[in-house]
Amino acid sequence: MAKLQVLDHPLIQHKLSLIRDEKTGSKEFRELVEEVAMLMAYEVTRDFPLQEIEVQTPVAVAKSKVLAGRKVGLVPILRAGLGMVDGMLRLIPAARVGHVGLYRDPETLSPVEYYCKLPSDIAERDLIVIDPMLATGGSASAAITFLKDRGAKNIKLMCLIAAPEGISAVQSNHDDVDIFVAAVDERLNDHGYIIPGLGDAGDRLFGTK
Ligand code: PRP
Ligand code: URA
């Protein structure tokens, strides 16, 4: 079974509380989502392999370490995943970014694909699928299936808030995908919204309603 990790760093938890607050407007919401994504990226990349190199300092030669040249791909699920891209790129600037466009049909809650543009070499990349909300898990599961259908092998999923239902769905559909979240909330309501959650992530990021 894939790993579920709740990232309980105090800075992540503090900023997540501000993000949840209905009084937080779009500008601040966007800034906070970007900041939390950057902090989460630090934890999600913890298992990246290193290789030893020698560096000439002004004083002597140091045996030091650098990332072992793995290629990374970030895959935001449109639209709300876009809010997390820049924060992650601050820490992983060489990452390529692919986009998967999905929206939830409000009646069926099933994901509908409307866009997909990925780096050509996704099979060789460590991919991190990003989306603030993991509710029923339909969108994340579908996005991961698209990636696997196109050859991706090494995939992680990173979300701000998850419902238990969404975690179970992704784990049963993709038991090779580790999931990283900042919080696991209580449940979904009848409209598939996470309770207590933060509301509609896309609307809050982009000021739509
Ligand atoms: C939201 C969210 C996820 C999805 C989660 O997107 O950003 O992609 O819902 O729900 P699920 O786990 O039940 O699939 P939404 O469909 O509202 O589209 P948007 O990002 O374009 O607003
Ligand atoms: N999508 C959102 O934006 N919020 C939820 O609570 C569930 C799905």
Side-chain angles (χ1 to χ4, degrees):
M1 168 86 64
K3 185 174 65 177
L4 168 69
Q5 206 169 318
V6 181
L7 305 179
D8 58 1
H9 189 287
L11 290 176
I12 294 176
Q13 295 303 314
H14 178 86
K15 289 176 192 293
L16 182 62
S17 299
L18 299 173
I19 287 171
R20 286 184 190 275
D21 190 333
E22 66 175 1
K23 294 194 291 299
T24 300
S26 279
K27 176 178 179 290
E28 201 188 347
F29 187 92
R30 266 197 302 274
E31 291 166 355
L32 287 161
V33 168
E34 188 176 321
E35 288 169 10
V36 170
M38 185 180 71
L39 295 170
M40 292 180 77
Y42 178 80
E43 295 288 350
V44 172
T45 54
R46 183 173 282 283
D47 67 347
F48 277 14
L50 294 169
Q51 67 187 52
E52 200 166 84
I53 58 162
E54 291 191 344
V55 178
Q56 178 69 55
T57 79
V59 182
V61 173
K63 285 195 190 310
S64 199
K65 288 174 183 165
V66 292
L67 291 169
R70 292 270 280 279
K71 295 175 170 182
V72 180
L74 306 178
V75 184
I77 301 178
L78 307 181
R79 319 171 271 173
L82 288 176
M84 300 168 77
V85 173
D86 287 350
M88 297 196 71
L89 285 174
R90 299 252 290 277
L91 287 196
I92 323 171
R96 296 282 167 90
V97 183
H99 296 85
V100 175
L102 292 169
Y103 69 87
R104 277 197 324 179
D105 182 296
E107 300 296 322
T108 64
L109 300 183
S110 296
V112 181
E113 183 198 358
Y114 61 89
Y115 188 76
C116 184
K117 183 78 178 174
L118 300 168
S120 55
D121 57 354
I122 58 163
E124 297 151 35
R125 292 187 178 270
D126 290 340
L127 299 181
I128 308 173
V129 174
I130 51 183
D131 193 327
M133 310 306 277
L134 181 62
T136 65
S139 302
S141 292
I144 293 166
T145 300
F146 291 147
L147 298 176
K148 288 182 175 174
D149 287 348
R150 288 160 177 80
K153 293 178 197 72
N154 192 345
I155 304 173
K156 294 174 178 169
L157 173 65
M158 185 180 124
C159 303
L160 295 188
I161 302 179
E165 295 90 329
I167 293 167
S168 300
V170 173
Q171 285 178 331
S172 65
N173 290 323
H174 300 289
D175 71 354
D176 55 328
V177 173
D178 288 341
I179 305 172
F180 298 81
V181 299
V184 179
D185 278 10
E186 281 166 43
R187 62 184 173 87
L188 297 178
N189 70 10
D190 292 343
H191 304 288
Y193 276 84
I194 299 176
I195 304 294
L198 53 71
D200 188 301
D203 284 347
R204 293 197 63 190
L205 272 169
F206 299 113
T208 50
K209 191 72 190 139

